[in-house]
């Protein structure tokens, strides 16, 4: 039986904010409208340093006197072009979103203080073409220990220097590809179920390789999945009868990570694809009886069990009489 819920110590929004996960850009038409009542127009194109056009890049237009208040937001079209109309007369700066990081026009500028200023005049069109830093690419193939492809596994490229993350999943043949900001100290990780591992072939993040991803270059990182840990068992009542529909929780002692599933008609449960850890197990019946394994009344009294790679840990328990 597969786990039916995951409980963590923070909300998803908080986790995303903490890791800097690069969200996919929204689709756009390449045309936007300013918030003013003017008749000026700002148009341009975005290419990277390798000459490739950048479609669907987010274009945010700011007046220099109010850098926190954009006057227009749009996206480049399939040809890398954008157009913003209805702008008041004055000077503007342009921020270019590149899928997890940004630069300022005319490109390869990391802060607004060094950005170009584009002057808008009534009834006129001002051109603002930019050449931005070419992304790096992390690609590779993930297989099982036997060499078979692994589909649907989450792949993370964590930029440790800037606390930001890029995420994708493996394709049917186990391959993946991520466009990331150029830099060093990238850690490539894989999440299969609840088994988290890092290249090359370790569950210990301190042993992971720190990769350098160069602008316009491709870094290949292949790996194979480790044999995951599993947890299984059976819950019976005080008379020895199976207890169906009871919640089964396990808690990672070191991290407080918690998973939950339910027992089947025979009182059995199973967790698969787990990372090695020391854990405690507890149960909650449909009648709201709570018990820790083995036959303990609290976390402090509960036994500690060790999950190991490639091994199945069995935790059976019998409910105490009410």
């Amino acid at each position: 039986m597969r786990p039916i819920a995951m409980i963590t110590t923070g909300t998803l929004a908080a986790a995303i904010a903490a890791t800097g996960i690069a969200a996919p850009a929204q689709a756009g038409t390449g045309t936007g409208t300013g918030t003013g009542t003017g008749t000026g127009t700002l148009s341009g194109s975005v290419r990277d340093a390798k000459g490739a056009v950048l479609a669907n890049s987010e274009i945010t237009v700011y007046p220099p006197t109010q850098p926190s208040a954009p006057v227009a937001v749009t996206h480049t079209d399939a040809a890398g072009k954008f157009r913003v109309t209805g702008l008041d007369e004055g000077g503007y700066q342009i921020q270019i979103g590149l899928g997890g990081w940004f630069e300022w026009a005319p490109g390869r500028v990391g802060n607004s203080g060094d950005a170009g200023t584009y002057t808008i005049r009534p009834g006129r069109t001002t051109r603002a073409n930019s050449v931005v830093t070419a992304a790096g690419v992390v690609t590779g193939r993930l297989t099982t220990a036997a060499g078979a492809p692994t589909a649907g596994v989450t792949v993370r490229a964590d930029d440790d220097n800037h606390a930001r993350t890029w995420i994708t999943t493996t394709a049917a043949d186990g391959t993946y590809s991520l466009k990331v900001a150029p830099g060093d100290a990238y850690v490539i990780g894989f999440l299969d179920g609840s088994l988290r591992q890092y290249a090359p072939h370790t569950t210990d993040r301190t042993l992971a390789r720190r990769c350098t991803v160069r602008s316009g270059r491709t870094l290949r990182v292949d790996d194979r999945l480790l044999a995951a840990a599993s947890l299984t068992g059976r819950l019976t009542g005080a008379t020895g009868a199976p207890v169906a529909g009871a919640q089964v929780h396990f808690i990672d002692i070191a991290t407080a990570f918690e998973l939950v599933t339910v027992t089947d008609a025979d009182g059995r449960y199973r967790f698969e694809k787990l990372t090695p850890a020391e854990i405690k197990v507890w149960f909650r019946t449909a009648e709201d009886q709570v018990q820790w394994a083995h036959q303990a009344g609290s976390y402090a009294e509960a036994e500690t069990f060790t999950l190991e790679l490639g091994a199945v840990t069995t935790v059976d328990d019998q409910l105490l009489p009410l």
Side-chain angles (χ1 to χ4, degrees), residues 91-146:
Y92 295 85
Q93 293 178 322
I94 303 169
Q95 188 185 77
I96 305 166
L98 299 173
W101 87 101
F102 62 84
E103 293 180 359
W104 294 85
R108 290 172 285 189
V109 175
N111 60 81
S112 60
D114 297 324
T117 298
Y118 298 88
T119 302
I120 297 298
R121 294 183 175 84
R124 304 284 295 275
T125 297
T126 299
R127 295 287 297 173
N129 296 333
S130 295
V131 177
V132 298
T133 304
V137 177
V138 182
T139 188
R141 185 169 185 260
L142 183 66
T143 64
T144 65

Side-chain angles (χ1 to χ4, degrees), residues 158-162 182-186 210-213:
D158 293 321
D159 180 356
D160 281 359
N161 285 339
H162 300 92
D184 56 11
Y186 273 97
R210 267 59 182 175
C211 303
T212 298
V213 182

Side-chain angles (χ1 to χ4, degrees), residues 123-202:
R124 304 284 295 275
T125 297
T126 299
R127 295 287 297 173
N129 296 333
S130 295
V131 177
V132 298
T133 304
V137 177
V138 182
T139 188
R141 185 169 185 260
L142 183 66
T143 64
T144 65
T150 56
V153 174
T154 300
V155 184
R156 293 169 55 107
D158 293 321
D159 180 356
D160 281 359
N161 285 339
H162 300 92
R164 54 191 179 183
T165 298
W166 283 259
I167 296 178
T168 190
T169 56
T170 56
D173 61 355
T175 59
Y176 69 91
S177 183
L178 276 169
K179 286 186 176 181
V180 301
D184 56 11
Y186 273 97
V187 173
I188 310 304
F190 308 97
L191 182 63
D192 183 30
S194 295
L195 173 65
R196 186 181 298 278
Q197 70 177 72
Y198 307 92
H201 207 56
T202 180

Side-chain angles (χ1 to χ4, degrees), residues 60-73 91-95 104:
T60 305
V61 181
Y62 291 93
T65 56
Q66 293 179 320
S68 62
V71 297
V73 179
Y92 295 85
Q93 293 178 322
I94 303 169
Q95 188 185 77
W104 294 85

Side-chain angles (χ1 to χ4, degrees), residues 21 40 47-48 51 57 59 91 95 97 99 119 148 167 181 186 224 226 240 249 258 274 290 300 303 311 318:
I21 293 175
R47 293 178 178 269
D48 68 23
S57 293
I59 303 296
Q95 188 185 77
T119 302
I167 296 178
Y186 273 97
R224 68 185 190 279
L226 295 159
H249 302 245
E258 186 170 1
L274 303 178
V290 173
E303 292 185 36
Q318 185 175 20

